[in-house]
Amino acid sequence: MSNDTITQSEAARRAGCSRTTIQKHLASGRIIADGSRVNLLSFNEWLETRDDVQNGVQPDVQPPLHPRVQPAPTGAPAPEQVAHIVSSQGDQSQILSFNAARTLEQNAKARLKQLEFDERSKEVVEVALVAATIGKEYAAVRRKLLALPAEHSPSIHRCKTVADVQERLRVLITRALEELTADGGSTLPKGV
């Protein structure tokens, strides 16, 4: 009989639930099995973070075991109980417990679902789509401004002074930019 395992019945008694509940959590991997027995370290972690109890209702507190039946304290955690997570800060790594790694995974999944929801509700758009749309806008502005000399050089040629040329160019450029915005030349989606 190993010191770092307990029977399924003992685990159920400590948790204040049925053996069937313990077996369900063993099957799902929330509690680690050691043969037909329950790994004590994984059971204690599960017991601290269990989410199968009703809100505000704690399981009945069970009386402590007789001193000779108490499990021996465990040393280092079993390799199955530790998840190795590489942080995003360079080559440093940190060790997380199984429950901390599980929480990290659940948070990442929740953020991913939120991002997918935001994409469907048009709260966020892809960078490539924005870049392509802005590229089309800039191309339209460029075409319009590059066409000015060819279309209006005869009228600019008739100007007598530098001030007349400047005023004529200002009017032509302003008119071209107003046409781009007023004629529905904008291909940007609403809200971008």
Side-chain angles (χ1 to χ4, degrees):
M1 186 185 279
S2 177
N3 288 335
D4 60 346
T5 62
I6 56 175
T7 64
Q8 293 179 10
S9 297
E10 175 61 19
R13 188 192 67 75
R14 289 185 186 188
C17 62
S18 67
R19 258 189 52 194
T20 308
T21 302
I22 296 297
Q23 290 169 347
K24 177 181 79 167
H25 290 291
L26 284 168
S28 71
R30 292 187 186 108
I31 303 174
I32 297 175
D34 190 6
S36 64
R37 298 178 64 84
V38 175
N39 180 291
L40 188 59
L41 184 60
S42 72
F43 173 75
N44 288 335
E45 282 187 3
W46 168 79
L47 198 55
E48 290 174 7
T49 61
R50 66 187 284 200
D51 54 3
D52 64 335
V53 293
Q54 296 175 347
N55 287 336
V57 178
Q58 292 294 323
D60 293 334
V61 178
Q62 300 294 320
L65 292 174
H66 191 273
R68 66 167 205 222
V69 186
Q70 290 288 339
T74 60
E80 307 90 36
Q81 290 300 302
V82 177
H84 185 264
I85 305 294
V86 177
S87 69
S88 61
Q89 300 170 352
D91 294 334
Q92 298 175 348
S93 63
Q94 55 182 340
I95 304 295
L96 297 177
S97 70
F98 178 77
N99 286 329
R102 189 170 124 204
T103 302
L104 185 67
E105 177 190 26
Q106 289 172 344
N107 288 340
K109 286 179 180 178
R111 286 193 303 268
L112 185 60
K113 285 182 181 180
Q114 180 65 43
L115 178 62
E116 290 169 355
F117 174 78
D118 288 344
E119 284 177 341
R120 285 193 306 269
S121 64
K122 305 289 188 215
E123 293 285 325
V124 295
V125 281
E126 293 182 34
V127 172
L129 176 64
V130 173
T133 304
I134 296 295
K136 289 177 186 177
E137 287 292 314
Y138 285 158
V141 170
R142 182 177 182 271
R143 271 193 310 274
K144 192 72 166 174
L145 292 178
L146 287 177
L148 287 177
E151 293 174 358
H152 300 286
S153 57
S155 65
I156 294 173
H157 178 67
R158 289 191 294 262
C159 295
K160 304 277 187 216
T161 65
V162 173
D164 290 341
V165 172
Q166 287 177 338
E167 179 60 23
R168 183 69 184 151
L169 285 174
R170 186 190 63 73
V171 168
L172 291 172
I173 291 171
T174 303
R175 189 178 301 150
L177 292 175
E178 287 173 352
E179 286 175 11
L180 284 170
T181 56
D183 291 342
S186 176
T187 57
L188 286 175
K190 300 278 188 218
V192 176

